[in-house]
Amino acid sequence: MNNFTKELVDKFANDLLIELTGEENKMVLDEFDIIKENMEKINELEDIKNIEPMTHPLEFDDVLLRSDEVSDELFTEEVLQNTTHKTIDSIVVPKVVEE
Amino acid sequence: MKSRILEYKEKEKETLLNSTKEKVLIHQEKYNSFVTILKDASLNEEMDSLLSNIPYVLKDNFSTKGILTTASSNTLKDYIPPYSSTVYEKLESRGSVLVAKSVMDEFGMGGTGTTGHTGVVRNPWNPDCIAGGSSAGSAAAVSDEIVAFALGSDTGDSVRKPAAYCGIVGYKPTYGMISRYGLLPFASSLDHVGVLSKYVYDAALVVNEIRGVDPHDMTSWDSSKIDLLSNINEDLKGKKVCYIKEIADISNYENPSEELISILENFQNTLKLLEEMGVLVEEVSIPSDLLETIPSVYTCISSAEATSNLSNLTGIIFGPRGEGKTINEMMIDHRTKGFSPLIKRRLVIGSYVLQKENQEKYFVNAQRIRNKIVTLMKDYFKIYDACILPCASSTAPKISDANDMVKKDLAVLDNHMAIGNFGGFPSITIPSGLVNNMPIGINLTSNQKEDSKLLNIAYKLEEKIDFKGGEEK
């Protein structure tokens, strides 16, 4: 996948539920060559295949998972204040099951 | 001992709060640091602690129950959290007084302080320059002496870089020392809570108060046996500090600017100050080709993690509802209208490195290199108490020149502080002088959980540098 196209950039964006304007798409295309050139440095390093990928900075030796009990809860009234589409205890969305 | 917090504790509390509120309004007019100003902030008469009735500022990505929290994004422009971040609750319980929430680069993705939905933050040293980001408003407010401390978050250098640009202290402790619960996430494996303050002592004091295990954050750990203040004034004789020659040596740069020459001279002078205090300073080496991957490793990992973290921004449960006939159309409309072009660019990169055919090549290899760099640093930390480096290749850039594009030949010097995030290492920036009448800083980083050692070196060095920040503005 060496040649970026407008369509490919749109696909990457659409995968994340985002649409790009023509200008935004062009901006990404214009800088992708530089970004890709920089990212290729990652593949230029030798002898990394046997290194464990690091997903987290700390060892988890001393971390205890909390017990799975209901503790703090969010209050419906407070949660609902962030939407105007609601009933007394629910958020309203369009019908998702088609007839 | 230099401490704004202890100085403020001596003031009459009502006078302090009222004058702070006045300063907040004046500052906002000039520098645009705040998303929300809490005009009704009141004293806490019940509490008597080291931080009680000390006014402070929170970056606007910390959830504050009942108070607007936007992460400087249009996707959250009206969002009122139904719960509070742990750090906010801790500061409330200590009786500190929140006076404002500060502007940031949207969701922390940016290093300029120019991308927030309420506009550009200006640098109090020169309003034509950026404050740096992403904790821009927090840095500007502390630099302008509005508050003794502010909280920020740091994913690549977002506390430490603006601190350097604004002539103040920026400290991010070891990963997990402070709970991230309620901090709107950017890249979870790199995100840290940090403190911006005028002096090292204040940063240590604040972290001492807000750290600790939090059942809401499984990455938090018990640091109760570590006291960040008790050794802070210890003599440095016998300590060992290293610097990476590929970053700090002038010979690495072709045609260096006058500004860069001055910054690296200041760095060499700072090393001499350490030596005068009996510290052994040695040069170490990390291969250039490995260092040159730092910006890309950071971009790959942070953008990929961001795509996941920002996936809950749908406009359905919170945030402005998008237009459309179906939920999918509504979510697309919300995200398309809500995210700024910069965020979209970052998310597109995240999407690209997570495509099936690219994952191993970019994302997983970036994680491997992260491990390699962290392992190398840990080896050096077996010998050295800290690593010292300049913070950046320049003073705060002009607003008109600011962007987040990587400058090719200076990429490592401008991005090396991300090593602190790769390894979860404690890392601090302190002011080290002025170049062209603008502040510059040096960065110190130590091994995980060795925050006391780091703060001791930073505190003594700060004393020796004697930076006249406020007075010289």
Side-chain angles (χ1 to χ4, degrees), chain B residues 207-363:
Chain B
V207 173
N208 237 5
E209 295 293 314
I210 62 174
R211 69 205 164 116
V213 180
D214 179 4
H216 288 114
D217 179 356
M218 67 163 283
T219 64
S220 61
W221 49 275
D222 182 7
S223 58
S224 56
K225 289 184 183 147
I226 303 173
D227 188 337
L228 299 179
L229 294 172
S230 57
N231 317 329
I232 204 163
N233 197 22
E234 263 179 20
D235 198 293
L236 294 189
K237 201 168 181 189
K239 289 267 191 290
K240 292 179 180 174
V241 167
C242 66
Y243 67 91
I244 301 167
K245 70 174 179 185
E246 288 79 6
I247 297 175
D249 196 309
I250 190 80
S251 65
N252 297 303
Y253 303 96
E254 274 179 39
N255 305 317
S257 65
E258 288 298 318
E259 189 177 44
L260 180 57
I261 292 169
S262 301
I263 287 170
L264 295 180
E265 272 174 9
N266 170 279
F267 178 72
Q268 290 300 326
N269 291 335
T270 307
L271 298 184
K272 283 182 196 142
L273 295 179
L274 281 172
E275 285 170 342
E276 282 170 24
M277 289 189 284
V279 176
L280 177 70
V281 180
E282 289 185 334
E283 183 181 88
V284 298
S285 178
I286 293 183
S288 293
D289 60 348
L290 184 58
L291 290 171
E292 283 166 11
T293 64
I294 290 172
S296 300
V297 167
Y298 173 75
T299 301
C300 273
I301 295 174
S302 64
S303 301
E305 291 187 17
T307 61
S308 169
N309 278 326
L310 301 192
S311 63
N312 68 339
L313 298 167
T314 60
I316 301 295
I317 299 172
F318 53 84
R321 182 72 66 97
E323 291 171 11
K325 287 186 184 134
T326 66
I327 286 196
N328 220 41
E329 285 174 10
M330 286 175 167
M331 290 194 289
I332 290 171
D333 189 59
H334 166 79
R335 292 166 69 84
T336 299
K337 288 177 182 163
F339 291 136
S340 67
L342 176 69
I343 299 290
K344 289 182 188 173
R345 267 153 62 197
R346 295 258 187 143
L347 292 178
V348 168
I349 297 169
S351 174
Y352 172 67
V353 302
L354 289 177
Q355 297 289 316
K356 199 174 172 187
E357 61 274 22
N358 293 335
Q359 270 189 34
E360 178 76 16
K361 192 175 164 191
Y362 295 124
F363 182 57

Side-chain angles (χ1 to χ4, degrees), chain A residues 1-2 4 8-9 11-21 24 27-28 31-32 34-60 62-66 71-75 78-86 91-96 98, chain B residues 65 78-83 174-175 189 215-216 218-221 289-290 292-293 296-297 300 307 316-319 321 325-328 330-332 335-336 339 341 344-345 347-349 351-353 355 357-358 360-362 364-372 374 378 405-406 408 421-424 448-449:
Chain A
M1 211 187 277
N2 290 321
F4 292 104
L8 262 181
V9 170
K11 180 199 175 301
F12 300 149
N14 292 341
D15 283 351
L16 300 175
L17 300 184
I18 296 169
E19 282 175 357
L20 301 177
T21 62
E24 286 167 348
M27 204 161 65
V28 174
E31 73 176 31
F32 235 106
I34 306 167
I35 290 167
K36 193 161 180 295
E37 188 187 324
N38 285 330
M39 289 208 298
E40 284 307 328
K41 290 182 195 297
I42 289 173
N43 291 308
E44 287 163 11
L45 282 189
E46 291 171 6
D47 305 327
I48 59 168
K49 291 294 165 209
N50 295 325
I51 299 173
E52 182 71 19
M54 187 177 187
T55 56
H56 194 273
L58 298 183
E59 310 275 331
F60 271 122
D62 54 354
V63 174
L64 291 174
L65 294 176
R66 66 181 161 82
S71 52
D72 300 337
E73 291 180 75
L74 298 180
F75 295 101
E78 289 167 357
V79 172
L80 289 176
Q81 70 185 328
N82 283 299
T83 179
T84 48
H85 300 69
K86 58 189 169 188
I91 292 166
V92 176
V93 295
K95 193 188 271 188
V96 291
E98 291 178 8
Chain B
K65 186 173 177 174
D78 302 313
Y79 174 61
I80 309 284
Y83 70 103
T174 299
Y175 185 89
S189 81
H216 288 114
M218 67 163 283
T219 64
S220 61
W221 49 275
D289 60 348
L290 184 58
E292 283 166 11
T293 64
S296 300
V297 167
C300 273
T307 61
I316 301 295
I317 299 172
F318 53 84
R321 182 72 66 97
K325 287 186 184 134
T326 66
I327 286 196
N328 220 41
M330 286 175 167
M331 290 194 289
I332 290 171
R335 292 166 69 84
T336 299
F339 291 136
K344 289 182 188 173
R345 267 153 62 197
L347 292 178
V348 168
I349 297 169
S351 174
Y352 172 67
V353 302
Q355 297 289 316
E357 61 274 22
N358 293 335
E360 178 76 16
K361 192 175 164 191
Y362 295 124
V364 178
N365 277 344
Q367 291 177 317
R368 290 189 172 110
I369 298 173
R370 176 182 183 179
N371 195 348
K372 190 176 168 103
V374 169
K378 282 185 177 173
M405 291 300 291
V406 173
K408 219 172 179 182
N421 303 74
F422 292 171
Q448 293 170 350
K449 304 189 180 181

